[in-house]
Amino acid sequence: MDSATSDRRTPLGAQADNGLKIVIVGGLGVGKTTMVRSVSEIRPLSTEETMTRAGETVDDVSGVQHKATTTVAFDFGRITLDPHNVLYLFGAPGQERFWFLWDRLFSGALGAVVLLDTRRIDDSWYAIDRLERHGTPFIVACNDFGGPRHTPDEIRAALDLDPGVPLIDCDARERDSSKQVLITLVEHVRQYYATQAPPSEQELV
């Protein structure tokens, strides 16, 4: 599901006042690296390594046996919003042995995308749990792997997803589709914080 990075994209200018951080998280092989590559305006920083037979004894590769490489730290991409604002994208590693990195990646994040392979819904449980515990707003994006179709209600029920969390379809290989995922997240984050009750005077003391 890899998408070739375009060298025609205009690089970020030297000055940017605000850096906004978004994390893309999910299970092994759900398309996190592909999404960062498809939407980043620069050649993404990638920490992919070749998967080996030894790794199969550590990582659960059921359903992704065809996968030849895997992220071992994180992917990094960048999108210019305007001359003063830039969006930084971090693709988190999906293997359980690297989950300890997630809380660090969530720190300071505007929000997160939980990328979902509907053939392996259970792989998203830990990501959703950690984001809820961390208090990071997120959306769920179902990546298109051509598998069996599930209704939104079925997916929400399987994930025990809060009704206020957006659930959308996407194709991480397509730049426009990945951009729509990020737009949906930003709109959700805006609404999320707009509805948060301000702290009471007692809490401020």
Side-chain angles (χ1 to χ4, degrees):
M1 290 192 61
D2 287 351
S3 171
T5 303
S6 173
D7 292 325
R8 299 191 300 271
R9 296 174 186 167
T10 304
L12 178 69
Q15 301 297 323
D17 300 326
N18 299 307
L20 307 173
K21 177 181 178 183
I22 284 179
V23 179
I24 302 171
V25 68
L28 178 65
V30 296
K32 301 179 295 295
T33 297
T34 299
M35 178 169 283
V36 173
R37 286 178 178 171
S38 72
V39 78
S40 177
E41 67 187 12
I42 62 169
R43 185 180 299 278
L45 167 66
S46 179
T47 58
E48 283 200 312
E49 296 292 342
T50 302
M51 295 187 70
T52 64
R53 290 188 178 273
E56 293 180 5
T57 65
V58 179
D59 302 320
D60 181 6
V61 297
S62 55
V64 290
Q65 293 89 342
H66 64 284
K67 188 171 173 59
T69 61
T70 186
T71 300
V72 297
F74 59 83
D75 302 302
F76 174 77
R78 193 173 66 186
I79 302 173
T80 300
L81 302 178
D82 57 47
H84 301 287
N85 296 282
V86 61
L87 193 64
Y88 296 117
L89 305 176
F90 290 83
Q95 308 95 306
E96 183 174 353
R97 57 192 164 117
F98 295 123
W99 285 353
F100 71 92
L101 293 172
W102 287 10
D103 284 338
R104 290 183 178 272
L105 287 176
F106 296 159
S107 180
L110 177 71
V113 174
V114 177
L115 204 54
L116 175 70
D117 179 351
T118 55
R119 301 170 302 176
R120 298 179 288 121
I121 291 179
D122 288 349
D123 288 357
S124 299
W125 268 103
Y126 185 77
I128 291 174
D129 178 69
R130 294 313 305 167
L131 287 165
E132 289 177 341
R133 289 176 179 270
H134 203 272
T136 301
F138 66 93
I139 68 169
V140 176
C142 300
N143 198 9
D144 181 12
F145 284 92
R149 303 294 296 179
H150 299 279
T151 67
D153 287 342
E154 289 172 338
I155 296 173
R156 285 188 176 277
L159 294 175
D160 192 23
L161 201 60
D162 187 280
V165 175
L167 173 67
I168 63 173
D169 293 324
C170 75
D171 186 335
R173 299 167 296 183
E174 300 295 331
R175 188 162 191 257
D176 286 344
S177 182
S178 295
K179 283 174 61 178
Q180 187 56 51
V181 170
L182 299 180
I183 290 170
T184 301
L185 173 61
V186 171
E187 291 175 344
H188 173 59
V189 168
R190 180 185 303 162
Q191 183 178 12
Y192 175 86
Y193 285 113
T195 57
Q196 295 298 298
S200 67
E201 292 184 8
Q202 186 175 7
E203 292 174 322
L204 293 173
V205 174

